[in-house]
Amino acid sequence: MADQNPQKTFGTENSTQGAYVTGGEFTRDTNYIEDRVVADVDAVTSAPREESSSIGDPRVSGLTEGAEAWPVESGRYRLVAARACPWAHRSIIIRRLLGLEDAISLATPGPVHDVRSWTFDLTEDGKDPVLGTERLQENYFARFPDYPRGITVPALVDVPSGGVVTNNYPQLTWDFSTQWKEFHREGAPNLAPEELIDDMLPVIKRIFTEVNNGVYRAGFAGSQEAYDAAYDRLFDALDWLEERLADQRYLMGEHITEADIRLFTTLVRFDPVYHGHFKCNRQKLAEFPNLWAYARDLFQTPGFGDTVDFDQIKAHYYVVHEDINPTQVIPKGPELQSWLSPHGREALGGSPFAEGATAPGPVAPEEQPPGANPLYR
């Protein structure tokens, strides 16, 4: 089980009050450390400059202004990814689907943090066993002593130096697919099929702006007007997805792509967190026939549901966001067993993985989520 009494900072100097709801429409800070870990450092360094992107692109050949290239090297990097965070969760799923567990180790901070940083408080001594740090903040400061922005996950850390390489999650997972191929498992799926990219990126863009970020826009709205607009935008997008998934099994057709992973991490949090905590309550995920069946189909696919920790998800949102839940009380529900109910999506054809690709094997015991998950009962 995840910690049932996570550290609370309400009323202390490290309280998060005022950090999330600041008045009017919520705007996400999308300035990240845009370094990349790549298979050919010289080629990427000499390529033309790229523009920053809120969703990344698997086809980029170069670096954004000021970014550096680091070499792909098995065992050198540690992925710091809190199970509670949807942006980090997608990197955990893709690492597992591609079979990168032996090449890139995983550190999972606890579900809560204060204004300073995520902490490695799930270990007995409160330190990450590989990095030796108590707070992810230490790894940011190891490279940038005056790092001025939020300490975010996922973060890829260079183990020898202890410094953060990148926290640019929009590009990080694309690079797992395209730059780390040497270390993919046999049967790893192609999550970014070249023939689908032109059609996939606009879908991912809408999912990011209207759904992934849309729930936060509603939850952190500082005025009624901002909330109403965010609410309408979110449910317009969910209605579009409900219709899109009526006659095809996955977002891009017959097989899973990165687009599905990016949507799943929001959907799996919708009823436990976003519906109530973020006031996204026109209807529950379970009341969208196609989206709910689609989400269950993914949850029951190896690599998806077996990475979910519902206890950590709820603890993070209800404890950390003091602006909207000052009591920091964590709800007991909703029930979880329905995630394993038949979804019927096989009738649409297709399969999770294309011909030649296979599902990943069982999750290693040391990487199994410790909290609530019906797959581990």
Side-chain angles (χ1 to χ4, degrees):
M1 290 288 289
D3 186 354
Q4 294 302 293
N5 294 288
Q7 181 183 8
K8 299 178 180 181
T9 58
F10 184 75
T12 74
E13 63 179 348
N14 297 314
S15 168
T16 65
Q17 272 194 304
Y20 296 101
V21 180
T22 57
E25 181 178 345
F26 167 71
T27 302
R28 181 173 297 281
D29 182 355
T30 56
N31 291 288
Y32 301 106
I33 303 166
E34 296 191 0
D35 289 13
R36 298 177 62 198
V37 178
V38 296
D40 188 334
V41 170
D42 290 340
V44 170
T45 302
S46 61
R49 285 285 176 254
E50 304 281 357
E51 295 295 322
S52 296
S53 169
S54 63
I55 61 170
D57 190 324
R59 301 166 300 188
V60 296
S61 58
L63 300 168
T64 57
E65 187 67 34
E68 299 178 21
W70 299 63
V72 164
E73 185 179 327
S74 180
R76 176 171 176 175
Y77 305 99
R78 188 157 175 81
L79 176 65
V80 181
R83 297 186 185 279
C85 170
W87 318 103
H89 188 188
R90 72 167 66 158
S91 67
I92 294 175
I93 293 172
I94 290 176
R95 169 181 173 271
R96 173 154 158 65
L97 289 174
L98 298 177
L100 290 172
E101 292 96 331
D102 290 339
I104 304 171
S105 64
L106 177 67
T108 52
V112 303
H113 61 79
D114 57 24
V115 290
R116 293 171 294 177
S117 175
W118 297 85
T119 58
F120 298 110
D121 54 5
L122 298 181
T123 60
E124 288 187 10
D125 63 355
K127 293 184 178 182
D128 181 76
V130 173
L131 301 175
T133 49
E134 296 180 355
R135 292 180 171 275
L136 179 57
Q137 185 183 57
E138 298 172 57
N139 302 106
Y140 275 74
F141 288 172
R143 185 169 177 211
F144 303 104
D146 299 316
Y147 189 73
R149 317 197 81 85
I151 307 300
T152 63
V153 289
L156 201 64
V157 176
D158 175 48
V159 174
S161 68
V164 168
V165 173
T166 182
N167 63 347
N168 187 25
Y169 69 88
Q171 187 61 37
L172 177 65
T173 49
W174 291 128
D175 286 347
F176 280 177
S177 284
T178 61
Q179 303 298 317
W180 287 82
K181 287 184 177 181
E182 178 186 355
F183 299 104
H184 287 186
R185 66 178 175 87
E186 184 177 356
N190 181 1
L191 300 174
E194 186 175 351
E195 68 276 12
L196 295 179
I197 295 301
D198 285 340
D199 293 331
M200 188 192 308
L201 290 180
V203 171
I204 284 178
K205 181 71 171 182
R206 188 170 181 183
I207 288 171
F208 168 71
T209 58
E210 307 303 303
V211 182
N212 299 149
N213 199 45
V215 292
Y216 287 89
R217 191 183 297 113
F220 294 155
S223 70
Q224 189 69 49
E225 182 181 17
Y227 165 74
D228 289 347
Y231 177 101
D232 290 342
R233 286 178 61 177
L234 169 64
F235 282 99
D236 283 349
L238 290 174
D239 288 340
W240 163 68
L241 290 164
E242 174 75 3
E243 182 177 355
R244 184 181 181 91
L245 291 165
D247 55 8
Q248 61 186 45
R249 189 166 177 183
Y250 302 107
L251 285 173
M252 302 311 301
E254 295 191 338
H255 310 294
I256 288 167
T257 63
E258 174 142 348
D260 298 290
I261 297 158
R262 294 190 180 206
L263 178 57
F264 174 77
T265 58
T266 296
L267 295 183
V268 79
R269 288 161 174 76
F270 200 89
D271 288 0
V273 174
Y274 303 142
H275 180 269
H277 182 60
F278 278 176
K279 308 180 189 72
C280 302
N281 62 352
R282 193 191 79 181
Q283 66 205 90
K284 297 177 180 177
L285 172 65
E287 294 166 348
F288 285 93
N290 297 329
L291 275 169
W292 174 225
Y294 162 83
R296 298 198 316 276
D297 188 3
L298 291 176
F299 188 90
Q300 295 168 32
T301 300
F304 285 83
D306 53 23
T307 65
V308 174
D309 190 314
F310 286 103
D311 284 339
Q312 293 195 37
I313 288 170
K314 291 191 296 183
H316 171 68
Y317 286 89
Y318 284 97
V319 172
V320 171
H321 300 153
E322 297 173 27
D323 288 336
I324 52 179
N325 188 41
T327 67
Q328 300 180 290
V329 172
I330 303 170
K332 293 183 70 173
E335 65 81 29
L336 302 176
Q337 200 59 32
S338 57
W339 279 99
L340 303 185
S341 62
H343 51 75
R345 299 285 290 177
E346 303 94 336
L348 296 173
S351 60
F353 307 111
E355 184 177 356
T358 59
V363 179
E366 65 273 15
E367 291 198 1
Q368 287 184 5
N373 184 317
L375 289 169
Y376 293 105
R377 287 183 177 175

